[in-house]
Amino acid sequence: MVEERLHTNILLQLIYSIDAHSQSAELLHKSLPVFMKKLNCFLAAVYKIEADGLREMVIYPKSVRQQAIWAELQGFLESYHQNPDLISPGETEIDGKVFYLYKIEQYGYLLLGKKTYLDYSFKYELRHVVDMLARTIRQILREVELRETQQKLREKTRLLRTVVDNLPVSVYTKDMHGRKTLANKKELEILGVETEELALGRQDSEFYDERFLQPASMMDSIVLEEGIPIMDEELEYKPGRFGIISKLPMMNERGEVIGLLGITIDNTESRLREQELSLLKNLINDSSDAVQVADEAGRMIYVNTEASQRLGISTGEVQKYHVKDFEPLFRNEGAWQQHIEELKKGRPLTIYSQNSNLVTKRTFPVEVSVKYVTIAGNGYVVAISRDITERRNYELQLQEAKQKAEAANQAKSLFLANMSHEIRTPLNAVIGFSQLLDDTDLDDEQHEYVSNVISSSRNLLGIINDVLDFSKIEAGKLELDPVQTSLRAIVTEVMDILAYQAQQSSNTLLLNLQPGLPATIIADSLRLKQVLINLLGNANKFTHRGTVELRIDGEPVKGSNRWRYSFFVHDNGIGISKENQKKLFRAFTQADNSTTRKFGGTGLGLIISNMLIQKMGGSIQLISEPDQGSTFFFHVEFEAELQKSPLPASIPGISDVLLLMKNESERAIMERILSSVQVKARGFDSVGSFMKSELPENETWQMVFLGTEDQVYGNRKELDAFSTVLPESTVVCLIVNPLSDFVKADRALRDRFPLVLKLNRPFHPDTVLEKLGHAYLQHSEKSGTESAKAENGAKMRPLFSSFKRRISERHPVILIVEDVELNMMLVTTLISKLLPEAKLLKAYNADEALGYAQAGLIDLILMDVHLPGADGVEITGQIRRLNHTNANTPIVALTAGIVKEEQQRCLNAGMNDYITKPIKTPELIRVLKSYLKKVYM
């Protein structure tokens, strides 16, 4: 008994300790195990009564939940709780253990578990201790609730401050001395400081000029001294900035003013908008155009002064009227609504009519523009009526002037046409008879006189043509005549015409044509040539001992069969200043008047060329600097036909080429062409530079391009050394000017190289590829004849030369199907050497091949496997299905595929044999002998 009371005293001390340190509810959790241990309890738990039942707050030890007695113990707790009339403590025995349940007033229950019974009197005395525990718990709960309330208050304060800081208006507070006690972000922007600490405790005088400070100080005095709030006062608070300012007194619980709350809403933008709106309204109201606005129902909303005068109503009474009061058309049922629906489709309506001003008594023509607009969800019809009297008068004058100009232009065109005919007739006679006279026996002086007459007559004829063309274009009478034409033919003809002029000026004429461009275009070839000749002629005229280059690039236009061609004419002549460039496209002028006297010309050529290009859909442009040369360029689109592959993938047997060319631009053009067919090129400006360079020992060239201007031809020793450096089979291509003497160079090279070819300047990509083809044939013949000497002798000789034809009147017919022009040339050349009498048919695609197969008798077909569209295998199948003798004609595949699957595919398709590319002469001989024996005895 004494020991248990001692334990009770300990519990009381713990409770007092908790009460003394009630700032922490956690002390209860720490005290309960001590209490349980002192009373020799094996279980202690505290439960709180809540709306939905009992909530376990503390239990020691927690492991009791896993014991067998737990479910029965919970039943005891629930039954006691359900019966509020039971006396505390409740008592029960479970599995030899005693459990006591004490009620904690206004809170819950304390559950204790002991292995022995408590003393009877102590059991009830312990209730007082529990009551003290209940008071302690309630105290703790109040303090916890207070802390939670304070925390929520702090959170609400932070939230409120966040809201205030992010308001789009300025918010601040001041104490009774006018010092800032709070300032949100917008207020800090106005004050011009970054943090609130820099604003707190400071007065307005530290931030504002005296001019803006005085009215603000007066407002502060009224609020702080008299407690009167000031609302929505507009002030200029900073230069050019206006605000709506409100200031409210802040009071304590005794009703005393302790400060003020200020709010500033910046209205500078809205003020400016109001001013703009007022200005716009005045402009509309004072406009000479009549402006009227009606709503969707047809009620008049607004008219300006001019409209009110025309309608005869005052602007203040406008809303009394309806549109039908002024427009009889809208008095018909549904007419106004139908009008609205048409306007809603977004198509503004323009009406030409007559108006009268009832004030000035004047009637005049008007143009009325009607439009439907939506403002703030409401629809309105705006009608603007403009007096077009002056415009009508001007249009009549313009029409009259136009008719006179057209009549004058027609007369001019007729005059020029007649004069052109009248001048051309005698001029043609002058030129013709002068040429006849020039062919007679004349001495040198007479020949010179006649040549001058012919030259001057042709110049005069050119001027007449220019004037007539200009007149036609100006009058809109000149029309383009686009037809299918060859771009190569156009360029070749232009270059041939300019070649002599370039040589006379000591200029190098270059053609830089993008390899692989479509061969056929739809264009007015005559006018395109006229433009190019004019641009190249000008470039040559103003360049001396320089370079004139025509560059043509192209790219396909997506989604069409058109190509966009870019033409560039570049020279490194005298150039044109920025000031003179502005005069270039004016008729009968040149960039510099002095050039007219020095170089001649009417100044019409360039403007005619630009007009022609504009009719083609482009425009001539210029890049130029004085003494740096000029580049004229334009872009036009043409329909193009790309029927077959324009370029071979590579040149068989030709992989490395040496370029010995003095002109760097010419070398660059050649390298561009060669790279398009996977041929590597190495360039030097002369043989001498090449010989002085450090050459790799294993580097070989199958071909050399060499200019006639090189100094090596007069140096036998250097030429001999040059020829020994190159392989014996190297082919030399001599690049020559068409009118120059190249015999000496040609003779010197032929003495040292097995094959010397000639390439005229300016060279075309196709011409270069043809020369590469000749070089390939040279290498092919050499390798072929060396391997077939035993059968055919040292040279390639015609086959069947010792046999008599079975049918003497008929020659063998061979069809060659090949889409690459270079490959076609190689095959036809080889066959022509082997069978000179053979008739060779050329087909570049499936349609052409099938056309030949369905016509005359064919003895042999050489079929390329890879063709655009239907390939060789498909074409073979179609030929085999023909109801024609040629269905059984031998077909030999020409294929670059050396794998067994490719060869077998050809045989499975009905082909009789195959030859692999590059074609070897012995293989071709074998095929011809095998399949043409039936033609010969």
Side-chain angles (χ1 to χ4, degrees):
M1 179 68 178
V2 174
E3 183 179 356
E4 289 178 339
R5 290 185 182 281
L6 179 63
H7 293 165
T8 303
N9 290 334
I10 293 173
L11 177 61
L12 289 172
Q13 291 175 11
L14 288 171
I15 291 172
Y16 293 145
S17 175
I18 292 172
D19 194 42
H21 300 85
S22 59
Q23 293 299 316
S24 176
E26 293 181 0
L27 197 56
L28 177 62
H29 290 263
K30 296 178 181 179
S31 303
L32 196 60
V34 177
F35 167 60
M36 180 182 72
K37 185 176 180 182
K38 295 298 183 180
L39 292 180
N40 198 21
C41 297
F42 70 85
L43 170 67
V46 175
Y47 293 88
K48 182 181 179 182
I49 299 173
E50 293 186 347
D52 56 348
L54 296 177
R55 178 185 172 192
E56 180 185 287
M57 303 300 291
V58 185
I59 184 169
Y60 294 101
K62 295 180 180 179
S63 59
V64 72
R65 296 194 189 101
Q66 281 74 43
Q67 295 181 16
I69 63 172
W70 180 250
E72 194 171 347
L73 190 60
Q74 290 297 307
F76 164 64
L77 183 62
E78 286 293 335
S79 63
Y80 189 86
H81 175 61
Q82 295 298 330
N83 193 349
D85 296 330
L86 294 177
I87 298 172
S88 176
E91 181 179 323
T92 187
E93 183 176 344
I94 303 173
D95 197 19
K97 299 179 180 67
V98 184
F99 296 91
Y100 298 96
L101 186 64
Y102 287 89
K103 182 179 292 185
I104 304 174
E105 292 296 332
Q106 300 179 8
Y107 184 75
Y109 300 99
L110 170 66
L111 177 65
L112 298 176
K114 283 179 64 66
K115 294 182 180 180
T116 59
Y117 285 93
L118 289 171
D119 178 81
Y120 181 80
S121 59
F122 176 72
K123 179 173 68 174
Y124 289 101
E125 287 180 7
L126 192 59
R127 285 188 303 186
H128 301 294
V129 176
V130 173
D131 289 340
M132 293 178 68
L133 178 63
R135 288 195 299 274
T136 301
I137 289 174
R138 285 195 296 273
Q139 175 66 21
I140 292 172
L141 289 175
R142 282 195 297 271
E143 290 182 359
V144 170
E145 184 178 357
L146 178 61
R147 284 198 300 273
E148 289 177 352
T149 302
Q150 291 172 341
Q151 179 64 24
K152 289 178 181 178
L153 182 60
R154 284 193 293 270
E155 290 177 358
K156 288 182 179 179
T157 302
R158 282 196 298 270
L159 177 61
L160 181 60
R161 184 56 196 262
T162 301
V163 172
V164 170
D165 272 340
N166 288 280
L167 286 174
V169 299
S170 162
V171 179
Y172 57 90
T173 58
K174 294 180 181 180
D175 62 14
M176 294 299 293
H177 301 287
R179 294 179 299 226
K180 290 279 194 307
T181 55
L182 180 145
N184 73 343
K185 290 181 180 179
K186 201 68 179 178
E187 175 67 8
L188 296 179
E189 289 179 15
I190 293 174
L191 298 177
V193 296
E194 294 184 359
T195 62
E196 190 177 23
E197 288 74 14
L198 297 174
L200 298 183
R202 300 172 67 181
Q203 296 179 327
D204 287 346
S205 59
E206 300 180 54
F207 300 104
Y208 295 102
D209 295 341
E210 185 65 30
R211 180 165 67 93
F212 306 105
L213 186 63
Q214 185 177 0
S217 299
M218 291 177 61
M219 294 171 68
D220 286 358
S221 298
I222 293 173
V223 175
L224 294 174
E225 295 174 8
E226 302 179 21
I228 300 173
I230 296 176
M231 303 297 292
D232 300 333
E233 288 288 332
E234 185 177 47
L235 286 179
E236 184 181 10
Y237 62 89
K238 272 194 171 183
R241 305 302 300 182
F242 294 86
I244 304 297
I245 298 174
S246 298
K247 297 189 178 186
L248 308 172
M250 296 190 302
M251 300 182 179
N252 59 16
E253 61 275 8
R254 297 187 297 275
E256 300 169 343
V257 177
I258 59 173
L260 67 80
L261 168 68
I263 299 173
T264 302
I265 302 173
D266 188 280
N267 73 326
T268 305
E269 301 302 326
S270 60
R271 182 187 177 94
L272 290 174
R273 283 196 295 271
E274 287 177 4
Q275 292 175 352
E276 291 171 357
L277 187 61
S278 175
L279 176 62
L280 181 62
K281 187 175 181 179
N282 290 334
L283 287 173
I284 294 174
N285 203 49
D286 297 337
S287 172
S288 59
D289 294 342
V291 181
Q292 56 192 67
V293 182
D295 61 15
E296 282 198 35
R299 292 186 295 269
M300 301 292 288
I301 302 297
Y302 168 82
V303 293
N304 69 346
T305 303
E306 179 67 20
S308 70
Q309 291 180 1
R310 295 187 193 180
L311 298 175
I313 61 175
S314 68
T315 56
E317 298 176 347
V318 63
Q319 296 183 2
K320 297 179 181 179
Y321 296 93
H322 193 279
V323 291
K324 64 185 179 182
D325 297 330
F326 307 101
E327 182 54 64
L329 173 66
F330 297 129
R331 294 170 188 168
N332 298 329
E333 185 69 26
W336 173 253
Q337 197 58 40
Q338 184 179 356
H339 179 61
I340 292 289
E341 294 303 320
E342 286 297 319
L343 291 174
K344 281 184 177 180
K345 294 177 180 178
R347 294 192 295 267
L349 179 64
T350 302
I351 304 170
Y352 293 93
S353 181
Q354 295 282 331
N355 267 187
S356 297
N357 189 309
L358 300 179
V359 176
T360 63
K361 308 298 183 182
R362 177 173 159 268
T363 301
F364 43 86
V366 293
E367 178 188 73
V368 184
S369 298
V370 186
K371 190 175 183 180
Y372 178 86
V373 297
T374 302
I375 303 173
N378 297 316
Y380 300 93
V381 177
V382 180
I384 301 175
S385 176
R386 172 165 294 179
D387 183 350
I388 57 172
T389 303
E390 291 185 9
R391 191 170 84 186
R392 280 285 174 86
N393 293 336
Y394 175 75
E395 287 174 353
L396 290 173
Q397 295 172 4
L398 188 64
Q399 182 68 22
E400 184 179 352
K402 180 174 178 290
Q403 290 172 353
K404 290 180 179 179
E406 286 176 348
N409 192 56
Q410 187 175 6
K412 181 189 73 173
S413 298
L414 182 61
F415 169 77
L416 287 173
N418 291 332
M419 286 301 296
S420 172
H421 175 73
E422 295 299 326
I423 295 174
R424 282 170 186 264
T425 300
L427 191 58
N428 285 333
V430 171
I431 295 172
F433 284 110
S434 297
Q435 289 175 337
L436 291 174
L437 180 60
D438 195 37
D439 291 336
T440 62
D441 293 331
L442 301 174
D443 59 31
D444 291 341
E445 185 176 3
Q446 292 170 330
H447 177 72
E448 183 180 353
Y449 292 160
V450 173
S451 296
N452 288 338
V453 171
I454 295 172
S455 176
S456 299
S457 300
R458 285 176 175 165
N459 287 339
L460 180 57
L461 187 60
I463 293 171
I464 293 170
N465 290 335
D466 280 350
V467 172
L468 191 59
D469 277 348
F470 178 73
S471 175
K472 285 181 179 179
I473 295 172
E474 197 177 42
K477 301 294 185 181
L478 190 144
E479 297 294 334
L480 298 179
D481 183 22
V483 295
Q484 188 177 80
T485 186
S486 167
L487 181 61
R488 176 177 181 176
I490 293 173
V491 172
T492 302
E493 188 174 341
V494 169
M495 289 299 172
D496 288 345
I497 293 172
L498 271 296
Y500 177 75
Q501 295 180 21
Q503 188 158 341
Q504 291 297 106
S505 303
S506 301
N507 290 326
T508 300
L509 184 61
L510 301 178
L511 172 61
N512 189 353
L513 185 64
Q514 175 182 313
L517 288 177
T520 304
I521 61 174
I522 307 297
D524 189 329
S525 60
L526 180 65
R527 295 305 179 182
L528 184 57
K529 279 188 289 187
Q530 181 179 347
V531 172
L532 295 178
I533 290 171
N534 176 262
L535 294 178
L536 287 166
N538 285 342
N540 182 70
K541 185 191 299 184
F542 297 105
T543 305
H544 185 64
R545 296 187 182 279
T547 300
V548 175
E549 177 185 339
L550 170 62
R551 174 171 178 155
I552 305 176
D553 295 332
E555 59 181 1
V557 179
K558 291 182 178 178
S560 72
N561 62 339
R562 300 176 67 83
W563 274 60
R564 185 174 188 264
Y565 288 85
S566 300
F567 295 80
F568 301 86
V569 175
H570 174 73
D571 66 71
N572 53 6
I574 62 175
I576 307 170
S577 67
K578 298 292 184 185
E579 181 180 353
N580 286 330
Q581 287 178 31
K582 300 174 183 178
K583 307 176 185 178
L584 279 180
F585 296 100
R586 297 177 189 169
F588 302 102
T589 63
Q590 290 189 333
D592 185 354
N593 288 332
S594 64
T595 62
T596 307
R597 295 188 294 272
K598 182 177 180 181
F599 298 102
T602 62
L604 279 178
L606 190 57
I607 190 170
I608 291 172
S609 296
N610 192 38
M611 287 177 170
L612 290 173
I613 293 303
Q614 286 174 349
K615 290 184 77 68
M616 296 179 191
S619 177
I620 296 179
Q621 301 175 63
L622 167 66
I623 300 174
S624 184
E625 292 290 341
D627 301 321
Q628 299 295 320
S630 305
T631 300
F632 287 84
F633 61 97
F634 59 90
H635 311 284
V636 288
E637 290 184 12
F638 298 126
E639 288 185 32
E641 295 184 8
L642 194 59
Q643 294 180 343
K644 58 182 186 300
S645 301
L647 289 174
S650 62
I651 306 298
I654 306 295
S655 59
D656 295 274
V657 169
L658 181 61
L659 306 179
L660 303 178
M661 303 155 71
K662 184 177 181 180
N663 190 296
E664 186 176 350
S665 298
E666 190 173 44
R667 276 204 315 274
I669 294 171
M670 183 65 78
E671 288 173 357
R672 183 187 190 191
I673 296 171
L674 296 174
S675 65
S676 68
V677 288
Q678 311 303 316
V679 174
K680 291 184 293 184
R682 185 169 181 181
F684 298 88
D685 61 2
S686 66
V687 173
S689 299
F690 166 69
M691 295 298 290
K692 292 176 183 177
S693 64
E694 296 182 3
L695 302 174
E697 294 181 0
N698 59 344
E699 190 163 8
T700 60
W701 293 273
Q702 294 84 36
M703 192 171 185
V704 177
F705 286 89
L706 180 60
T708 55
E709 66 277 1
D710 202 294
Q711 301 299 317
V712 71
Y713 307 112
N715 189 334
R716 179 181 295 272
K717 184 177 179 181
E718 186 176 12
L719 191 57
D720 289 339
F722 172 60
S723 63
T724 57
V725 170
L726 301 175
E728 292 182 4
S729 60
T730 303
V731 175
V732 176
C733 186
L734 194 59
I735 304 176
V736 303
N737 292 317
L739 304 176
S740 65
D741 182 9
F742 59 89
V743 175
K744 178 181 177 182
D746 183 66
R747 188 176 299 156
L749 293 173
R750 288 188 185 278
D751 291 340
R752 292 169 174 81
F753 295 95
L755 179 62
V756 178
L757 305 174
K758 181 169 70 73
L759 178 64
N760 285 337
R761 290 191 176 100
F763 43 78
H764 190 283
D766 292 351
T767 312
V768 174
L769 296 182
E770 287 173 8
K771 302 305 176 186
L772 293 175
H774 285 299
Y776 161 66
L777 286 176
Q778 168 71 10
H779 289 281
S780 178
E781 284 186 20
K782 183 173 181 181
S783 61
T785 52
E786 287 176 353
S787 62
K789 280 182 181 179
E791 183 177 357
N792 300 300
K795 295 180 68 176
M796 186 185 301
R797 296 193 299 269
L799 296 176
F800 308 110
S801 57
S802 59
F803 296 92
K804 181 181 179 182
R805 294 188 186 88
R806 180 177 301 164
I807 304 174
S808 59
E809 292 82 6
R810 193 174 74 82
H811 296 287
V813 179
I814 302 174
L815 172 61
I816 305 166
V817 186
E818 170 63 64
D819 66 314
V820 178
E821 181 66 43
L822 180 62
N823 291 341
M824 177 70 80
M825 183 191 73
L826 297 177
V827 177
T828 54
T829 303
L830 287 172
I831 296 177
S832 295
K833 289 187 176 184
L834 294 169
L835 291 175
E837 70 276 15
K839 180 181 180 182
L840 303 182
L841 306 176
K842 299 179 184 180
Y844 293 94
N845 53 48
D847 292 340
E848 293 178 4
L850 291 171
Y852 282 124
Q854 296 177 70
L857 181 63
I858 299 174
D859 298 299
L860 177 63
I861 300 175
L862 299 180
M863 178 74 68
D864 184 22
V865 174
H866 299 286
L867 294 166
D871 64 10
V873 172
E874 294 177 34
I875 298 171
T876 298
Q878 295 179 48
I879 292 175
R880 293 298 186 220
R881 291 190 293 272
L882 291 175
N883 184 19
H884 194 280
T885 308
N886 289 333
N888 300 316
T889 297
I891 301 178
V892 177
L894 301 177
T895 175
I898 59 174
V899 296
K900 291 287 186 183
E901 291 80 0
E902 175 81 358
Q903 296 167 358
Q904 192 60 46
R905 190 169 78 97
C906 296
L907 297 177
N908 293 341
M911 296 185 183
N912 301 82
D913 208 334
Y914 56 83
I915 299 177
T916 57
K917 298 178 183 178
I919 298 171
K920 303 292 190 301
T921 304
E923 275 293 291
L924 184 59
I925 292 172
R926 177 187 66 79
V927 167
L928 295 177
K929 278 191 172 184
S930 299
Y931 297 103
L932 292 180
K933 285 183 178 179
K934 66 177 183 178
V935 184
Y936 299 89
M937 289 184 177

